[in-house]
Amino acid sequence: MENEIISGLDSYLSFRLGNEKFVVNIGYVKQILEMTTITKVPHMPDYYKGVINLFGDVLPVIDSRVKFNLEEKPYGKSTCIIVLMISNQDVTAKFGLIVDEVRAVLQIADEQIKEPPEIGGKFKNELIHSIANVDGEFIIILNVDDIFSTDEITLVNPNQP
Amino acid sequence: MEKFQKRFIDEANEYFESLESALLYLENDFSDTQRIDEIFRVMHSLKGSGAMFGFDLLSEVTHDLESLYEQVRSQEIQLNAKIISFTLGAVDQLKKLLVLNAGNEERQLVVELKRDVASLLENSPSSSTTSSSSSKNEVVENNEQETENGRSFFVFFQPNESILENGTNPLYLIDELSTLGESKIEVSFASLPDIEEFNPQKCFASWKVVVYTQEDLDTIQDVFLFVQDDSRIEIVELQHGNVLENQEKIARCFSISVDEVESLIGEDADQAENSEPIENQIQVSEPVKEKATEEPVTKANEEKRNQLVSGVRLDTIRVSSAKIDEYMNLVSELITAQSHLDLIAETQKEFEPVSEHFAKLIRQLRDNAFDMSLIPLTNMATRFRRLVRDLSADLNKKVNLVTEGLETEVDKTIIEQLGEPLLHIIRNSIDHGIEPIEQRLENGKVEEGTISIKACVVGTFVEIEIADDGAGIDLSRIKEKAIQKGFFNADDSISDSELIAVIFKPGFSTSETLSDISGRGVGMDIVRKRITDLRGDVEVDTTIGEGTKFTIRLPLSISIIDGLLTQVNDDLYIIPTGSIEKIYALTADQKKNALRQVVVFEDQEIPYLDLPMEFSTTPKEQKQQYMIVVRYDHKLFGLVVNEVFREHQAVVKPLDQMIGHHELFLGASIMGDGRVTLVIDVNKTIQKFSA
């Protein structure tokens, strides 16, 4: 449970970035943390804010605003860190995603979910898994698995140097 | 089921190790019955559990091996070097059979092994034919005088409650016991709990048996051979002759409590003339409690008894290493929580004594946790012995392995990583170091070469020394090779230490014909890499004609380090103290005057790395900074920081699994206030920037 991605759930956690609403499948979500002190790690890309203490383990955190090419803003009261599980070719790892605000858990049925539009979005396509229509509002379903696919960050299993 | 199978594999590997170790001891002393018994028992356990968990082939072969050792035990076959060699080889094959879905290859292996065992059983000389036939005669005689020579024993058997879990049926044991002769049995359910607490998977019964038999005490003990470790068993010889007719006596046997068993003998001592009752009374096993009053026993029996008892006492338990890791994590969490409490106590004075008490306890707990993950090097000793034995036989050399200080304890992660490199060094010593017998004699050396492995603790390091008295490394040959390979120019002046360093370069080998032995597995470059990865180093001393000595220095633990807390720009970093030589104050002027990042201190030119500049595009400028001088590969190197605070004992956590450019850091440590501080990997940092 603790270190697995649970698939096949139709619950989604919604969060806000500026005016934009996103959801992420609840199967990826491990924890939601309040903003805490982040330790910088030199020589890392801008969006890699550093590492935090997650119950005695060291967890890297990513600023979603920088990552998604939005204007960077100082963290406020409602800023949260969503701890997500990611997997790539047998390697799984946790990371924290800094978001403006965590909203609610939504039930989204498969019929409500559509392919993302080919063009015209302000977000990179690889970040968008699909689009959900919830009560007439269009919400981006985040593509967690490919979130680092175009980056210099790769998943490495620390036990296999 | 899968979980159990996995556990069985772990267990089997441990069994293999104990087999190897017992066999290697037996090789020097064929008559060590205790070790023969051990082998027999291990084979039996492997057979039983193997079959239970679906490792049928393994079970099949161990069955045959068990029969072989059964005969060795009963001295029908005399143990010899051939049997031991065969068994050692068989153990290697058994390891291959530790698979569930066996293919043809494995099946073929089983057929071969079984055939070999059979031929050993046929061809092995029996202990001595005369003695076995004479013992048969005795039996016949015994039968003639049955009434005189039969003996009565009282047996108390209380199996461990969990005996049913490993598939043993205690009733079979009682049955087996009663086949030895006439018997009267009484079963007791005294420990049977109330129905609410009753667990049908546990055994609550105990048995009292009076048996009249021609067999001796050993035979009776053998019935309980496989359960003696966790059962309570008392066997007492009552008297010569049959007590079963004596109703009064029987009633008394069944009525007394187990602790009074001894009293049964006293009563009969005068009746039975030749029985020597006290000597024959052996307390086979009593894991639960020690007897408060010791019976006077003869010396031999006391020894035997001590051995048995000490073999039984559970002074170690097996815990998966994942659990230990988890425990360590919890302890470090607790340290963090404690520092929180400490903060509260600063403002709320009434918490202060509580907080201090907590701090003390947690410190003890932490030390305890670290202690737990330390394992003695002895764990590897069997592998060393095995290697020396096999390899010296293969190469027709005589090699004696001497070990010293292997009880030294080292972090388990280090032990895991260290096995291969150490074995490689030993392999090299036997293959290239120790000369063939003729050559040794020619050089005026003793026929038998010696490899010694010594370990000891020096400060926070453990030093492991592997020395041989062989030929030594021919540096002129290395030089030749090194020039040939283009490491040096022919007219360079090269120091000996530079030449020795060449051995550790990738792709370097002096041996003309890559032998099967040292050519496989890891090379010396990997040896060195493994050791530096563990933050240790390795040195080589060699003298032509006298031998070679490898000295490996390793930190005692890699999960905890002593560090120096420093500040670079506005962030804290930890630099491991182990490699720090000196700290100098460094003024802005000195930096300005430095040529190509080299400053001079005490007449030494020291290259340095400016960490504030390295870590940030807007470095913090100060009139005075500090340069921490570390030793790296016999050279000095400086790391410039803004501030130096204090020493700090750091629990190093691996940095996250998402990797970018983390090679500068060993890991991270969580500070008292819960914040994360990065630990700088000095070696890698310097490697990166000095190249």
Side-chain angles (χ1 to χ4, degrees):
Chain A
M1 269 294 278
E2 178 71 357
N3 286 316
E4 270 172 43
I5 298 170
I6 306 153
S7 55
L9 300 178
D10 61 359
S11 298
Y12 291 79
L13 181 73
S14 73
F15 60 89
R16 184 178 59 82
L17 280 185
N19 297 324
E20 209 71 45
K21 215 169 159 188
F22 290 83
V23 291
V24 54
N25 192 298
I26 207 94
Y28 293 101
V29 180
K30 292 296 139 187
Q31 264 120 9
I32 299 166
L33 308 171
E34 280 178 36
M35 198 57 204
T36 174
T37 324
I38 299 176
T39 301
K40 272 189 262 173
V41 180
H43 296 291
M44 293 303 275
D46 287 348
Y47 59 82
Y48 189 106
K49 285 296 157 188
V51 288
I52 61 165
N53 170 10
L54 178 75
F55 309 115
D57 281 330
V58 180
L59 183 84
V61 288
I62 305 296
D63 190 323
S64 57
R65 281 184 164 269
V66 186
K67 176 74 188 152
F68 299 168
N69 290 327
L70 297 169
E71 178 200 355
E72 206 174 343
K73 262 187 164 174
Y75 304 133
K77 255 192 198 162
S78 57
T79 308
C80 280
I81 299 172
I82 305 176
V83 180
L84 296 171
M85 196 84 212
I86 183 172
S87 109
N88 187 353
Q89 293 167 357
D90 300 337
V91 185
T92 51
K94 279 186 206 169
F95 72 98
L97 188 70
I98 303 171
V99 300
D100 287 358
E101 189 184 21
V102 169
R103 300 294 283 268
V105 176
L106 308 174
Q107 305 290 323
I108 302 176
D110 285 350
E111 310 84 80
Q112 291 169 272
I113 298 173
K114 293 192 174 65
E115 290 288 303
E118 294 269 320
I119 41 156
K122 66 175 158 182
F123 298 107
K124 286 187 211 149
N125 272 347
E126 68 263 12
L127 294 174
I128 303 169
H129 179 272
S130 45
I131 304 285
N133 182 344
V134 180
D135 303 330
E137 189 183 7
F138 288 95
I139 303 176
I140 297 171
I141 298 180
L142 193 67
N143 184 358
V144 179
D145 282 332
D146 292 334
I147 198 162
F148 299 116
S149 59
T150 56
D151 291 306
E152 54 268 59
I153 294 187
T154 44
L155 279 173
V156 169
N157 188 339
N159 301 322
Q160 290 168 6
Chain B
M1 190 63 184
E2 228 168 73
K3 197 176 93 198
F4 292 118
Q5 281 167 344
K6 214 176 150 269
R7 215 158 82 194
F8 171 71
I9 292 179
D10 285 351
E11 216 174 276
N13 280 319
E14 263 170 46
Y15 280 142
F16 292 150
E17 199 148 302
S18 54
L19 276 178
E20 286 184 353
S21 133
L23 285 164
L24 291 170
Y25 276 106
L26 274 174
E27 197 159 49
N28 298 321
D29 179 7
F30 293 147
S31 62
D32 189 335
T33 49
Q34 233 192 330
R35 293 221 154 77
I36 297 179
D37 282 354
E38 189 187 335
I39 293 175
F40 175 66
R41 270 166 64 176
V42 170
M43 289 298 182
H44 181 85
S45 308
L46 276 171
K47 177 184 83 168
S49 341
M52 188 151 55
F53 296 116
F55 298 88
D56 294 334
L57 293 178
L58 179 80
S59 170
E60 223 174 289
V61 177
T62 40
H63 172 81
D64 285 18
L65 287 167
E66 185 194 350
S67 337
L68 175 67
Y69 276 87
E70 167 119 60
Q71 301 207 24
V72 172
R73 272 182 82 223
S74 59
Q75 303 193 343
E76 280 163 55
I77 292 180
Q78 178 66 43
L79 191 64
N80 56 31
K82 194 175 147 201
I83 296 185
I84 290 179
S85 289
F86 166 73
T87 320
L88 276 170
V91 170
D92 289 341
Q93 309 291 352
L94 286 179
K95 290 177 188 165
K96 290 185 200 154
L97 294 178
L98 208 54
V99 289
L100 278 175
N101 302 315
N104 278 333
E105 201 179 314
E106 281 84 13
R107 256 179 265 282
Q108 182 61 30
L109 206 61
V110 171
V111 174
E112 280 167 23
L113 279 170
K114 285 176 73 105
R115 195 188 55 217
D116 292 346
V117 177
S119 76
L120 268 178
L121 280 171
E122 266 171 37
N123 299 332
S124 289
S126 57
S127 284
S128 79
T129 17
T130 45
S131 88
S132 78
S133 66
S134 77
S135 76
K136 261 180 206 150
N137 288 340
E138 269 167 39
V139 174
V140 176
E141 268 168 44
N142 282 351
N143 283 341
E144 280 167 11
Q145 327 169 336
E146 196 171 287
T147 38
E148 285 80 29
N149 275 349
R151 287 187 273 185
S152 298
F153 294 92
F154 173 79
V155 179
F156 174 78
F157 172 45
Q158 181 174 33
N160 187 302
E161 282 189 0
S162 56
I163 191 169
L164 304 175
E165 282 169 19
N166 45 36
T168 310
N169 185 344
L171 284 179
Y172 290 160
L173 299 174
I174 301 294
D175 277 353
E176 192 178 338
L177 190 62
S178 41
T179 57
L180 297 175
E182 284 177 62
S183 65
K184 282 226 162 86
I185 302 163
E186 192 186 73
V187 59
S188 155
F189 295 107
S191 57
L192 195 68
D194 288 344
I195 188 79
E196 292 85 32
E197 289 157 40
F198 179 75
N199 181 344
Q201 298 185 337
K202 286 190 171 166
C203 171
F204 296 104
S206 60
W207 285 265
K208 285 176 185 165
V209 182
V210 175
V211 57
Y212 170 64
T213 172
Q214 307 297 325
E215 307 290 342
D216 60 359
L217 190 63
D218 287 343
T219 318
I220 296 187
Q221 282 173 6
D222 280 358
V223 172
F224 299 103
L225 187 64
F226 300 113
V227 294
Q228 68 180 34
D229 282 355
D230 43 10
S231 301
R232 180 163 182 192
I233 298 157
E234 306 273 354
I235 302 171
V236 170
E237 181 177 340
L238 293 171
Q239 63 183 73
H240 275 234
N242 194 345
V243 293
L244 288 170
E245 283 121 45
N246 184 342
Q247 293 297 337
E248 206 180 300
K249 177 78 184 165
I250 297 290
R252 197 166 140 51
C253 283
F254 288 152
S255 64
I256 61 160
S257 86
V258 193
D259 299 323
E260 297 168 322
V261 166
E262 286 87 352
S263 71
L264 290 173
I265 322 149
E267 276 170 24
D268 299 302
D270 39 345
Q271 291 174 22
E273 292 134 53
N274 299 322
S275 62
E276 303 166 47
I278 297 173
E279 268 179 77
N280 278 337
Q281 174 236 334
I282 286 183
Q283 187 181 6
V284 172
S285 125
E286 192 184 8
V288 195
K289 62 181 177 89
E290 287 270 356
K291 277 267 146 55
T293 52
E294 295 275 316
E295 291 286 322
V297 283
T298 64
K299 214 176 170 187
N301 267 357
E302 190 168 38
E303 257 170 39
K304 189 166 180 189
R305 173 175 158 158
N306 283 345
Q307 276 172 3
L308 287 165
V309 171
S310 68
V312 157
R313 184 180 293 138
L314 294 173
D315 53 356
T316 56
I317 53 164
R318 278 207 300 152
V319 179
S320 77
S321 45
K323 275 192 186 163
I324 300 243
D325 293 345
E326 201 184 315
Y327 177 60
M328 295 276 270
N329 280 340
L330 287 173
V331 170
S332 17
E333 264 298 282
L334 204 55
I335 294 172
T336 316
Q338 149 63 25
S339 62
H340 236 107
L341 183 63
D342 206 35
L343 283 179
I344 296 170
E346 269 175 30
T347 51
Q348 317 234 342
K349 286 294 169 200
E350 68 266 32
F351 280 115
E352 217 176 80
V354 186
S355 168
E356 271 168 24
H357 192 197
F358 262 83
K360 202 170 138 203
L361 286 175
I362 289 170
R363 215 174 304 129
Q364 286 173 358
L365 195 62
R366 185 198 62 191
D367 291 349
N368 194 271
F370 286 132
D371 194 45
M372 238 187 257
S373 55
L374 297 180
I375 298 178
L377 288 164
T378 330
N379 276 33
M380 292 193 286
T382 308
R383 280 166 78 191
F384 297 158
R385 287 222 166 77
R386 182 77 200 274
L387 178 75
V388 170
R389 177 198 174 275
D390 289 359
L391 200 51
S392 53
D394 281 358
L395 294 170
N396 245 329
K397 292 179 181 178
K398 279 200 174 168
V399 183
N400 182 25
L401 180 71
V402 186
T403 59
E404 194 184 308
L406 288 193
E407 66 281 355
T408 309
E409 292 190 321
V410 186
D411 192 294
K412 71 177 166 61
T413 349
I414 295 184
I415 298 239
E416 282 158 13
Q417 299 285 321
L418 202 57
E420 275 291 301
L422 287 186
L423 288 175
H424 186 75
I425 293 176
I426 298 174
R427 228 176 263 148
N428 262 330
S429 290
I430 303 173
D431 194 11
H432 304 310
I434 306 277
E435 314 91 330
I437 297 172
E438 311 82 59
Q439 200 183 325
R440 285 185 70 88
L441 291 173
E442 220 168 272
N443 296 346
K445 288 182 176 177
V446 284
E447 197 178 84
E448 186 176 58
T450 302
I451 291 182
S452 72
I453 304 176
K454 290 183 198 161
C456 61
V457 174
V458 186
T460 58
F461 284 86
V462 57
E463 233 176 61
I464 303 170
E465 200 185 281
I466 303 169
D468 66 61
D469 64 348
I473 299 172
D474 187 350
L475 289 178
S476 62
R477 220 170 112 214
I478 297 217
K479 187 172 178 176
E480 219 171 274
K481 272 265 165 170
I483 291 168
Q484 193 185 320
K485 295 225 171 196
F487 292 131
F488 299 109
N489 288 323
D491 42 1
D492 283 354
S493 71
I494 312 158
S495 71
D496 285 0
S497 63
E498 275 174 300
L499 279 174
I500 285 175
V502 171
I503 308 172
F504 294 108
K505 292 226 159 141
F508 187 84
S509 169
T510 49
S511 79
E512 255 88 67
T513 51
L514 264 185
S515 67
D516 169 44
I517 295 110
S518 334
R520 77 181 156 201
V522 292
M524 287 309 279
D525 57 321
I526 309 284
V527 169
R528 191 201 184 100
K529 188 181 173 300
R530 282 279 179 84
I531 290 167
T532 44
D533 281 353
L534 293 168
R535 296 208 315 281
D537 56 37
V538 52
E539 265 175 43
V540 186
D541 277 324
T542 184
T543 313
I544 285 238
E546 283 175 28
T548 309
K549 184 172 85 184
F550 287 84
T551 311
I552 298 168
R553 267 162 58 91
L554 290 165
L556 279 175
S557 159
I558 50 167
S559 59
I560 177 173
I561 59 155
D562 285 316
L564 189 69
L565 196 62
T566 63
Q567 189 183 330
V568 177
N569 299 323
D570 292 320
D571 302 306
L572 296 178
Y573 291 90
I574 293 168
I575 297 176
T577 333
S579 44
I580 298 180
E581 293 276 308
K582 271 183 181 154
I583 301 173
Y584 294 108
L586 187 71
T587 61
D589 286 343
Q590 277 173 302
K591 255 168 68 176
K592 214 183 284 167
N593 293 335
L595 262 166
R596 287 189 301 153
Q597 303 224 326
V598 174
V599 283
V600 179
F601 278 107
E602 294 170 28
D603 294 334
Q604 291 205 68
E605 289 189 357
I606 306 176
Y608 69 88
L609 176 68
D610 194 332
L611 291 179
M613 293 233 301
E614 192 52 48
F615 286 174
S616 170
T617 46
T618 52
K620 193 168 161 184
E621 286 299 332
Q622 274 172 318
K623 271 222 175 85
Q624 184 180 304
Q625 292 176 321
Y626 295 89
M627 187 170 90
I628 296 168
V629 179
V630 295
R631 192 170 54 94
Y632 170 71
D633 211 12
H634 302 293
K635 285 180 213 124
L636 295 178
F637 198 92
L639 296 171
V640 177
V641 298
N642 295 83
E643 295 289 344
V644 173
F645 295 113
R646 60 188 158 86
E647 279 203 79
H648 174 80
Q649 205 177 45
V651 183
V652 183
K653 302 262 173 188
L655 264 184
D656 56 74
Q657 292 153 300
M658 288 165 36
I659 290 298
H661 309 279
H662 279 170
E663 62 264 31
L664 302 183
F665 303 102
L666 213 60
S669 175
I670 291 166
M671 306 294 287
D673 59 1
R675 278 204 289 178
V676 181
T677 304
L678 298 174
V679 182
I680 293 177
D681 185 331
V682 172
N683 284 1
K684 285 189 186 153
T685 306
I686 297 174
Q687 262 169 24
K688 182 164 179 195
F689 290 99
S690 63

